[in-house]
Amino acid sequence: MPSANESKLKETLAGVLGIPAGTIGEDTSMDTVEEWDSLKHLNLVLALEEQFGVSLTEEQSFEILSYPLIKIVLAEHGIEFAA
Amino acid sequence: MTDVLTEFLRPRDEPPSYAQYTAVANALAAGNSQQTGRPPLKVAVLRNFTVEPLLPVLAGEIFRAGFHPAFYTGDFDAVQADVLNPASPLYAFEPDFIIVAQWLETLSPALTTAFVSTPAEQVAAEADRVRGHLREILAALRASSRAPVLINNFPLPAEPTLGILDAQSAAYQTNTVLQLNAGLLAAAQEQSDVFVVDFMRVFAAHGSASLVDERHWQIARAPLSQKALVPLGTEYVKFIRALRGKARKCLVLDCDNTLWGGIVGEDGLAGIKLGPTYPGSCFVALQREILNLHDRGVILALCSKNNEADVLEVLRDHPDSVLKEEHFAARQINWDDKVTNLRRIAAELNIGLDSLVFVDDNPFEADYVREQLPEVAVVALPPKAYASYRSLLSRPGYFDTLSFTAEDRRKTAMYGENRARKELESASGSLEEYLAKLGIEVEIGPPSEVDVPRVAQLTQKTNQFNLTTRRYTEGDIRAFAAASDSDVFALKVRDRVADLGLVGVAVVTYDGTTAAIDSFLLSCRAIGRGVEDALLATVARHAAQAKGAERIVGTYAPTSKNAMVRDFYARHGFAPVDETPDRATWSTSTTTAPGLGVPTWIHVRNGDPTHAVR
C-alpha cells in the first residue's frame, strides 16, 4: 500500500510535469523524464513546499533531482513515507 | 474536458493550490480550444526575469475567465530584440495580449542594489535612461501590434540601501522609484491600449518581504515567491476580463447578517446591528464599499427572504444605513428560493446570469446558488467574521473595468429612471402612444475624442444586442474612424425622462459599391425604443450618399447571449446571402431598401463632425 504522502507526492509531480501519476516510480528523475527541465524544477520546488508545508533549503532545492531523492529530503522535514 | 479542468472550475471558497494550477496548465497545454469549447487567447510574455512559475496561474485564471490560453515566452532579458524586429517570433505569434514583465534589479543595479554607490547626479540620468528604455519598448510594440500591452511598475524597495535615511530625502532610493513609476505611467499614456499593472500596490498590500523569494532570485533569476503567484496572476487576468467583456455588472445582496447584523424581522429596526460601534461598524463599512461600487456604475439588487416592508423600513428610516432604497435597481424580497429570484433579477435588468455577483452569509444559500447557477459568482460571507466582509467583496475585483465614463456615473440612476418610464407606460394606451409621449431624440455621428473610450467600452461589454460581438480597443476604434474605407457611428439617446448618453455603436467598412456592417450593437438599457432602426437607417443613408455604396451587407454571428438579434436583418428587409453555424450574412440595397426607416416617434439629429476623431 502506498502511503498517503506517497500518493500526494506522485500527484504533485504529475501535475507539475504534465505526465500521468501512474508512470512515476523509483526511477523517475530529471534524467529520465523529458518534461523535467530546470524551469519546471523551479515550479516543482514551489509546489512541493506548498503541498507538504515545508521550506526547502537552497541546498535541498538542488538535491531533489529524482523521486527517491525528494522522499529523502522530505523525510528530513519529518514527512513520512512507507519504507 | 478532463477531470483536472472540471474540478478546477467547480465553485468553492478556498482558492486553488499552486500544485493544482500546474496540473491545469499542463492539461490546457496538452488540449486545445475545440476540446474545452473556449475561444483561444494568445498571450505573449516579454520579460527580463524568470516568469515561468507565474505561467500556470495565468493559464488557470485565463481559463476560468472563459478562454483557452496559449503562451509565447520571450527569451530571458531579450525584450528589445523581440519588440524592435517586426519579423520577430513575437509578432508571428499574433498575440491577443502582450505582457511586459520588468524587474528593476535587472534593469538597473544603480537604482537598486548599488544605489548608495551611485553618485547623486548619475541617479537622475539613470532614471531617465530606464524611462527612455521603457518608452522605446512601448512605442515599438505599438508600431507593430494592436494587442493591449500590460506593463508592470516597480515595487518600492523593501530594504533601501540607505536604511532609515532613505525616507529623509526626495533624492534617495524610494522616491526615485516612485518618480520612475510616474514616468512609466506617462510613457504608457502616450500610447493607446497600454495599461500599467500596479506591482507597487500588490507588493505593498501583500508585503514585499513575503512576495520575493531571494533563494530563487539568486538561483534562477526568479524573484517571485509562491505567495506572489496567485495575487499577481489574478491581477493580470483582471485586465483580460475587463477588455474582453468578462467583468461582472450587478451585485446582488442578501439583507439579514449581510447588510446589517441580526434579523430585522425578529430584532426590529432598533435591534439590528448597524452603526458606529462593533459589530454594526463592520456593516457600515461594507455598505460604504457597496456604495462605492454603485458610484462606479455597478448595478445593485436585493435578494432576501424577508417581508419587503421590514427591509424597506431599514433602507428608508435607519439613520446609519448608507444604502437607501433608490440605490437598488431591482429587488426580490419574498420567500421564494434564491435561484428563482436571481433569475428574475437577471431578466428584469436584461443582463446575463454571468454578470451577477451574489453575496450571502448563509452557507446553504451560497452552496445552493453555486450548485444550480454556476455562472453566478458567489461571495459566501463567513458567519460572524464581520470585519472581513468588506475586503471579501472588494478584493476579487469582479467589477474592475479600464474606463470610468460619464455613463458609468449615471448608470444606476438610469435604471431608476427606467422605473419612471414604466409608470408612464402603464398610463399610455398603446406602445406607440407611450413611445411618442417619451419624446425620444437621437444623435448619430462620428465619435469625438471624448467618446472613444465609451465606444470601445461598449464593444467590450455589450453581449445581448450585439450582432457580431467583436471586442475593440480604443486604438481599434480610432483606426476605424480615421481610415477612409471605414466609419464609426456613435448613437446618443435622450428622452423626456433623462439623457441616456452614448448607447449604440455601428462600425462599417466599405469596399467598392458594398458597405459591410462590421459591428452593430446597443446597450441593454436602450433596448425597446426603436433607436436601432434610426441607427441602421443612418448607416445606410451615409453609405449610399457619402460613399456611393449600392449594397449593404450585415452579419449575425451567434453567441450564447445574442439570440435576441438573430432576426435583426430579416426584420429590416435584408435578404439572406449565406449561412454557416458561425455566421449568417444578409444583404439589401441602400436605395430601395424597404425595411430601413426611422420610426415616427424618434427625432434624429446628425452628430457634430467638428470634433470627430481623425
Side-chain angles (χ1 to χ4, degrees):
Chain A
M1 273 289 283
S3 68
N5 283 334
E6 208 150 347
S7 304
K8 182 150 94 173
L9 176 55
K10 285 183 178 175
E11 285 296 324
T12 305
L13 265 168
V16 171
L17 302 178
I19 59 175
T23 63
I24 294 167
E26 296 301 312
D27 60 347
T28 299
S29 78
M30 226 170 161
D31 296 329
T32 59
V33 178
E34 193 191 334
E35 289 83 352
W36 192 341
D37 59 21
S38 60
L39 289 170
K40 283 279 167 61
H41 189 74
L42 211 54
N43 297 9
L44 177 63
V45 172
L46 296 172
L48 288 174
E49 290 184 329
E50 174 197 68
Q51 290 297 302
F52 292 96
V54 299
S55 183
L56 303 183
T57 66
E58 291 154 32
E59 201 174 12
Q60 285 170 332
S61 75
F62 283 111
E63 285 169 0
I64 53 165
L65 302 176
S66 72
Y67 180 70
L69 286 170
I70 295 174
K71 288 198 287 186
I72 291 169
V73 165
L74 287 178
E76 291 169 12
H77 288 269
I79 311 292
E80 290 183 10
F81 294 90
Chain B
M1 271 197 271
T2 66
D3 292 348
V4 171
L5 298 181
T6 313
E7 173 62 20
F8 178 71
L9 291 181
R10 198 170 59 78
R12 62 167 116 211
D13 278 336
E14 67 281 13
S17 66
Y18 182 67
Q20 199 180 357
Y21 277 115
T22 64
V24 165
N26 279 317
L28 289 169
N32 62 44
S33 163
Q34 261 106 47
Q35 288 159 347
T36 54
R38 282 155 188 252
L41 190 102
K42 294 194 279 185
V43 180
V45 187
L46 313 177
R47 44 54 183 283
N48 73 358
F49 64 95
T50 304
V51 295
E52 275 72 2
L54 186 61
L55 297 182
V57 179
L58 275 179
E61 291 304 321
I62 290 171
F63 177 62
R64 193 194 302 286
F67 303 94
H68 194 111
F71 292 99
Y72 165 86
T73 316
D75 288 337
F76 184 85
D77 206 5
V79 178
Q80 275 156 311
D82 252 346
V83 301
L84 291 172
N85 173 12
S88 70
L90 161 69
Y91 299 122
F93 177 68
E94 297 186 331
D96 298 306
F97 282 86
I98 299 171
I99 290 174
V100 181
Q102 300 280 302
W103 198 250
L104 190 56
E105 203 170 326
T106 309
L107 221 46
S108 176
L111 294 182
T112 51
T113 49
F115 189 88
V116 75
S117 350
T118 308
E121 64 277 10
Q122 267 184 35
V123 168
E126 175 67 359
D128 276 347
R129 181 192 68 79
V130 173
R131 194 162 39 236
H133 166 80
L134 298 171
R135 265 184 88 189
E136 182 183 72
I137 289 172
L138 295 176
L141 281 172
R142 222 0 107 248
S144 299
S145 168
R146 292 256 284 274
V149 175
L150 311 180
I151 185 166
N152 64 283
N153 62 16
F154 305 111
L156 297 181
E159 290 150 10
T161 50
L162 285 162
I164 57 171
L165 180 60
D166 190 71
Q168 313 313 318
S169 164
Y172 291 156
Q173 199 175 343
T174 299
N175 198 57
T176 300
V177 175
L178 278 170
Q179 294 302 317
L180 190 53
N181 285 345
L184 169 64
L185 173 59
Q189 287 176 327
E190 284 172 14
Q191 309 291 339
S192 63
D193 305 310
V194 172
F195 302 100
V196 174
V197 180
D198 198 358
F199 273 31
M200 186 168 70
R201 170 174 51 74
V202 177
F203 277 69
H206 292 263
S208 287
S210 74
L211 296 203
V212 173
D213 188 333
E214 191 68 23
R215 196 182 44 161
H216 283 165
W217 169 247
Q218 297 301 343
I219 293 170
R221 297 289 122 181
L224 303 178
S225 75
Q226 195 260 320
K227 283 198 172 64
L229 303 177
V230 172
L232 288 176
T234 50
E235 189 74 8
Y236 279 113
V237 178
K238 285 178 189 172
F239 289 81
I240 293 175
R241 284 179 185 274
L243 290 165
R244 287 303 179 108
K246 302 289 186 184
R248 307 254 170 187
K249 295 174 182 169
C250 176
L251 178 62
V252 186
L253 297 147
D254 173 46
C255 292
D256 291 331
N257 285 317
T258 296
L259 290 185
W260 51 79
I263 298 169
V264 64
E266 292 175 11
D267 304 332
L269 185 68
I272 58 170
K273 299 183 188 83
L274 184 63
T277 56
Y278 181 89
S281 57
C282 300
F283 295 97
V284 172
L286 178 67
Q287 287 204 8
R288 181 65 237 180
E289 181 66 17
I290 294 167
L291 185 63
N292 288 343
L293 290 171
H294 168 275
D295 291 347
R296 274 167 60 178
V298 173
I299 309 164
L300 303 184
L302 292 173
C303 180
S304 169
K305 287 182 177 167
N306 241 315
N307 292 320
E308 189 169 38
D310 292 342
V311 170
L312 291 180
E313 190 185 9
V314 178
L315 299 178
R316 286 171 187 163
D317 301 334
H318 198 293
D320 293 308
S321 186
V322 176
L323 294 169
K324 305 293 179 195
E325 186 183 359
E326 65 266 24
H327 294 129
F328 296 93
R331 56 175 189 254
Q332 290 291 331
I333 304 171
N334 52 47
W335 301 94
D336 296 338
D337 73 275
K338 298 221 167 182
V339 167
T340 305
N341 280 332
L342 285 166
R343 286 209 173 96
R344 287 177 185 151
I345 287 168
E348 182 184 339
L349 297 174
N350 240 327
I351 55 180
L353 285 164
D354 61 358
S355 291
L356 304 184
V357 174
F358 172 60
V359 183
D360 205 312
D361 66 294
N362 181 328
F364 165 79
E365 302 285 11
D367 283 345
Y368 181 55
V369 171
R370 280 174 177 157
E371 182 73 27
Q372 298 291 315
L373 304 174
E375 57 273 58
V376 174
V378 176
V379 178
L381 300 176
K384 298 198 189 293
Y386 308 127
S388 68
Y389 289 4
R390 190 192 57 77
S391 76
L392 280 172
L393 179 62
S394 55
R395 191 176 302 144
Y398 289 119
F399 304 102
D400 281 7
T401 58
L402 284 165
S403 57
F404 185 39
T405 63
E407 278 78 5
D408 290 326
R409 286 186 187 276
R410 293 224 345 102
K411 178 154 66 184
T412 45
M414 287 180 192
Y415 281 93
E417 286 151 9
N418 271 345
R419 278 204 298 271
R421 289 189 191 91
K422 273 183 186 150
E423 282 157 24
L424 190 59
E425 186 176 358
S426 50
S428 309
S430 70
L431 180 62
E432 288 204 12
E433 190 187 327
Y434 157 66
L435 290 168
K437 272 191 196 167
L438 261 187
I440 302 168
E441 274 187 38
V442 306
E443 181 186 315
I444 300 169
S448 69
E449 188 55 42
V450 295
D451 292 335
V452 167
R454 171 66 177 163
V455 169
Q457 184 195 44
L458 277 172
T459 71
Q460 289 157 18
K461 287 174 67 174
T462 310
N463 294 318
Q464 297 187 104
F465 198 117
N466 193 338
L467 274 297
T468 53
T469 319
R470 292 183 182 140
R471 311 298 192 191
Y472 288 126
T473 63
E474 293 177 23
D476 296 331
I477 295 299
R478 283 195 193 89
F480 278 122
S484 61
D485 60 351
S486 58
D487 275 317
V488 179
F489 297 85
L491 167 73
K492 296 173 187 174
V493 177
R494 67 166 71 186
D495 64 27
R496 229 178 65 191
V497 181
D499 186 347
L500 277 75
L502 205 170
V503 290
V505 177
V507 178
V508 182
T509 61
Y510 309 101
D511 184 8
T513 57
T514 301
I517 303 175
D518 173 275
S519 293
F520 194 99
L521 59 89
L522 191 64
S523 166
C524 56
R525 63 173 183 252
I527 292 172
R529 295 174 173 78
V531 293
E532 63 275 24
D533 298 357
L535 180 57
L536 187 60
T538 303
V539 163
R541 200 182 62 238
H542 181 82
Q545 293 175 359
K547 298 288 180 174
E550 290 163 13
R551 298 205 67 70
I552 186 157
V553 176
T555 303
Y556 167 68
T559 69
S560 59
K561 302 283 186 57
N562 69 353
M564 71 152 62
V565 289
R566 185 191 299 125
D567 303 324
F568 178 73
Y569 288 118
R571 286 203 307 273
H572 290 85
F574 283 56
V577 176
D578 187 30
E579 184 167 3
T580 67
D582 294 338
R583 55 173 49 215
T585 316
W586 303 77
S587 129
T588 191
S589 152
T590 53
T591 47
T592 61
L596 298 179
V598 179
T600 52
W601 59 82
I602 294 178
H603 177 63
V604 181
R605 289 189 297 130
N606 285 327
D608 177 6
T610 357
H611 303 291
V613 308
R614 281 286 169 254

